[in-house]
Amino acid sequence: MARATTPQDLIITPRDRRFGRGTKQDRWWLGGDPVATAYYNALSATFPKGEAYFVESVRLFRDGAPPKLAEEIKAFVTQEVMHSREHVQFNKRALEAGYDMSALEARVEWRLSISRKRPPIVNLAATMCLEHFTAILAHQLLGNPRHLDKADPESAALWRWHAIEEIEHKAVAYDTWLHATRAMGRWQRWRIKAKVMLFVTRNFVVDRSLGTLELLRQDGITGPKAWGRMLWFAWVRPGMMRKILGAWLAFFLPGFHPWNEDDRALIGRAESAYRDAALPAPSAA
Ligand SMILES: [Fe+2]
Ligand SMILES: [Fe+2]
């Protein structure tokens, strides 16, 4: 398969939006469903620290990057910083709704403290893999309205806004990786990227599952029932994990590049269908 490259006319636009300020969030903001809520809350718990880690991992490689890539890194950083800011607020609303997310945040902190001991190129590789993960989740989230159709509108807008920007900047870490490893052989590059992807996927699935179970426990749902409902939600209906499986596998194919799948139409569609999620602030670049 011939490798696509990032479209020349792609413009990464940070949309400086704020969500849910001064509002109270229902405890089960996603369709009154504790399982759906726990699943997304567990994901949100990882963003502030996780995205700060992505930023620091990619930024280390900005010097020496070609000008277009350096510009894209700058826009990527701006987007991720704003995502962190909004998820801090979202997590605060989850806390106000009665969830204690501290155990989930501590686990993220622990994972990152281990990663940070590794060389910068490994952190870049981990970021590149996790960015593929967020991009395919975002694709699914925007492509299939059922995921958020029962969510409260403000929270839905936050998640859609985030998804739009994740698609838009999905290849920044990847292109940075391609540039940083340009002296490596093809096979060596593939081996590292495949190994890191398997590693981060295992951690992602384990950690998010434990996080979801912890939040369900706080709702009094425990044991096999909690496991069953979580697995059903993730893999069967709506089955987010099942639906992203093909796109996840594509990462391992020779010639993979995030823009082999040009899903910019989803951004345009989301921007017109969900104005709340996409409206750039007047001052945004
Ligand atoms: Fe993000
Ligand atoms: Fe991202």
Side-chain angles (χ1 to χ4, degrees):
M1 188 201 299
R3 175 192 285 148
T5 53
T6 297
Q8 281 302 316
D9 58 345
L10 174 77
I11 297 170
I12 299 174
T13 310
R15 298 156 179 80
D16 189 359
R17 292 275 288 109
R18 284 162 205 263
F19 300 91
R21 298 295 196 279
T23 63
K24 205 172 154 302
Q25 187 164 291
D26 284 345
R27 183 177 174 96
W28 297 338
W29 60 268
L30 215 177
D33 176 359
V35 181
T37 300
Y39 196 76
Y40 282 84
N41 282 2
L43 195 56
S44 182
T46 68
F47 284 138
K49 290 195 171 78
E51 296 189 307
Y53 165 79
F54 295 170
V55 163
E56 77 188 44
S57 304
V58 172
R59 202 149 49 180
L60 274 181
F61 291 89
R62 190 174 163 211
D63 288 347
K68 184 171 184 282
L69 180 57
E71 272 307 305
E72 287 172 353
I73 291 174
K74 208 168 125 195
F76 158 81
V77 167
T78 308
Q79 288 189 334
E80 294 294 27
V81 167
M82 290 192 297
H83 301 166
S84 292
R85 181 190 74 198
E86 291 312 305
H87 280 275
V88 164
Q89 295 297 326
F90 178 89
N91 295 346
K92 215 181 260 174
R93 294 195 291 282
L95 178 73
E96 285 160 8
Y99 288 113
D100 177 2
M101 313 259 259
S102 54
L104 284 71
E105 286 160 357
R107 195 167 177 95
V108 176
E109 192 61 62
W110 168 70
R111 282 277 185 220
L112 295 180
S113 69
I114 297 170
S115 295
R116 287 191 173 105
K117 293 190 186 116
R118 310 294 305 272
I121 194 71
V122 176
N123 287 302
L124 177 63
T127 299
M128 173 260 286
C129 293
L130 286 163
E131 280 286 288
H132 179 58
F133 234 103
T134 52
I136 61 181
L137 288 169
H139 177 103
Q140 180 54 225
L141 205 67
L142 292 184
N144 187 346
R146 83 175 295 164
H147 291 295
L148 290 172
D149 61 0
K150 295 197 183 84
D152 91 56
E154 195 65 10
S155 306
L158 160 71
W159 286 91
R160 289 189 178 116
W161 162 79
H162 194 165
I164 286 169
E165 297 200 338
E166 287 305 321
I167 290 178
E168 207 169 63
H169 73 224
K170 65 177 177 173
V172 174
Y174 200 84
D175 289 343
T176 307
W177 153 264
L178 288 178
H179 183 72
T181 59
R182 63 196 178 284
M184 271 184 204
R186 235 179 114 152
W187 169 237
Q188 189 193 3
R189 241 182 191 173
W190 186 85
R191 237 187 32 211
I192 299 175
K193 127 183 171 169
K195 220 165 113 180
V196 173
M197 187 49 142
L198 291 173
F199 182 73
V200 302
T201 298
R202 190 200 65 183
N203 293 347
F204 183 92
V205 172
V206 169
D207 290 358
R208 290 316 70 75
S209 300
L210 292 175
T212 304
L213 290 171
E214 165 58 18
L215 296 176
L216 287 176
R217 188 191 62 75
Q218 294 179 25
D219 278 321
I221 304 168
T222 56
K225 200 170 167 193
W227 275 96
R229 290 182 68 179
M230 176 186 70
L231 291 173
W232 182 267
F233 182 82
W235 291 94
V236 183
R237 192 165 301 200
M240 176 65 96
M241 295 307 281
R242 173 172 53 82
K243 288 178 174 146
I244 65 170
L245 202 58
W248 179 84
L249 279 169
F251 184 84
F252 297 91
L253 294 176
F256 168 81
H257 184 275
W259 286 110
N260 284 354
E261 163 89 51
D262 189 345
D263 48 2
R264 282 179 291 172
L266 281 180
I267 299 179
R269 227 161 64 199
E271 284 190 317
S272 49
Y274 311 109
R275 297 280 299 159
D276 286 357
L279 211 62
S283 60

